[in-house]
């Protein structure tokens, strides 16, 4: 069996990341710091021999990927399945505003109830995980024996780290998800494994503002 290697990258920092504001599927651009992180990430990945570059179609991930794709002479293949979780009516709020506005929903969100759909058309953890798994399974199937770069969002990385490590969706997060950190996974015969996680040596600074 030909192993597929994945390098998963959270998008560069945005102004809303710095404000701890919930972006979800709203299209928030990279900040100047995020652009600098994207350039540094492209340089770091230039010699890895990637065969393909995939990204969420939201601009903060797509634009982060574009720096690496240009450096490698590859196209960015966008996939809506790589988008962040849909947070419904909570998108654009800070996490503190979310807690004040709807404490019951906030408590269920923090408890990581797998079947709880966020109010206003948001996704449940279970729905979100199913979407992410379907998208990554298709990418893996298309690239046997290759290294693939995937530029996406913090929530997506949370789902995939748990898939590789076996940590259940309902358990609190015990790993970092920094902006533009490099996260290396391998898939062999349908079995996912972690290689390295949250590498940030190429960055001057990286934020992880996501709740556990």
């Amino acid at each position: 069996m030909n192993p597929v290697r994945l390098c998963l990258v959270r998008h560069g920092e945005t102004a809303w990341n710095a404000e701890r504001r919930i972006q979800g599927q709203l299209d928030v651009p990279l900040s100047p710091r995020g652009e600098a992180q994207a350039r540094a990430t492209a340089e770091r990945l230039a010699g890895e021999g990637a065969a393909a570059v995939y990204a969420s179609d939201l601009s903060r991930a797509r634009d982060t990927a574009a720096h690496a794709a240009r450096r490698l002479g590859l196209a960015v293949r966008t996939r809506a399945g790589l988008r962040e979780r849909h947070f419904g009516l909570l998108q654009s709020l800070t996490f503190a505003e979310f807690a004040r506005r709807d404490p019951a929903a906030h408590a269920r969100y923090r408890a990581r109830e797998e079947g709880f759909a966020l109010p206003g058309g948001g996704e449940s953890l279970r729905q979100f995980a199913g979407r992410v798994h379907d998208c990554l399974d298709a990418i893996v199937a298309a690239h046997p024996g290759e290294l693939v770069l995937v530029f996406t969002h913090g929530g997506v990385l949370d789902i995939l780290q748990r898939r590789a490590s076996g940590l259940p969706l309902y358990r609190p997060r015990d790993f970092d998800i920094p902006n533009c950190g490099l996260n290396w996974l391998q898939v062999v015969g349908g079995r996912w494994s972690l290689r390295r996680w949250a590498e940030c040596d190429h960055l001057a600074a990286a934020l992880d503002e996501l709740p556990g």
Side-chain angles (χ1 to χ4, degrees):
M1 291 182 232
N2 292 323
V4 178
R5 293 174 297 141
L6 299 169
C7 181
L8 309 175
V9 186
R10 187 183 177 199
H11 60 79
E13 189 174 312
T14 71
W16 282 23
N17 288 149
E19 296 171 5
R20 291 180 55 82
R21 194 170 296 280
I22 301 168
Q23 296 170 116
Q25 295 191 4
L26 298 180
D27 207 3
V28 181
L30 294 175
S31 66
R33 174 177 282 183
E35 289 282 358
Q37 291 171 334
R39 290 192 295 270
T41 300
E43 288 304 311
R44 166 63 182 81
L45 293 171
E48 292 291 341
V53 178
Y54 286 83
S56 158
D57 59 353
L58 297 175
S59 64
R60 58 189 182 273
R62 188 183 67 241
D63 292 349
T64 305
H67 287 276
R70 281 195 298 270
R71 187 72 173 77
L72 294 165
L74 298 169
V76 177
R77 309 184 196 190
T78 57
R79 297 291 185 271
L82 292 171
R83 287 183 180 184
E84 181 59 279
R85 183 179 179 182
H86 199 302
F87 277 77
L89 294 176
L90 307 173
Q91 295 182 155
S92 82
L93 302 181
T94 65
F95 286 104
E97 289 167 344
F98 173 17
R100 289 195 299 269
R101 182 170 300 191
D102 195 337
H106 184 260
R108 297 182 73 181
Y109 167 74
R110 291 304 303 267
R112 299 188 64 91
E113 291 186 21
E114 295 181 23
F116 172 57
L118 293 159
E123 291 176 293
S124 70
L125 262 181
R126 191 174 295 126
Q127 290 168 329
F128 178 39
R131 164 167 67 82
V132 170
H133 291 168
D134 287 347
C135 185
L136 265 293
D137 285 345
I139 291 172
V140 167
H143 295 280
E146 295 180 331
L147 169 64
V148 180
L149 309 182
V150 179
F151 292 81
T152 184
H153 305 268
V156 175
L157 292 175
D158 178 90
I159 295 295
L160 295 174
Q161 210 272 7
R162 292 166 188 272
R163 183 174 188 179
S165 68
L167 185 69
L169 290 176
Y170 62 83
R171 290 282 178 83
R173 176 164 64 95
D174 60 1
F175 50 89
D176 295 332
I177 310 179
N179 290 115
C180 275
L182 306 183
N183 307 286
W184 302 86
L185 278 65
Q186 182 170 285
V187 186
V188 183
R191 297 188 63 178
W192 290 61
S193 59
L194 288 171
R195 289 299 183 241
R196 303 188 301 280
W197 191 262
E199 290 186 344
C200 293
D201 291 350
H202 59 294
L203 302 172
L207 181 66
D208 175 2
E209 84 295 356
L210 303 171

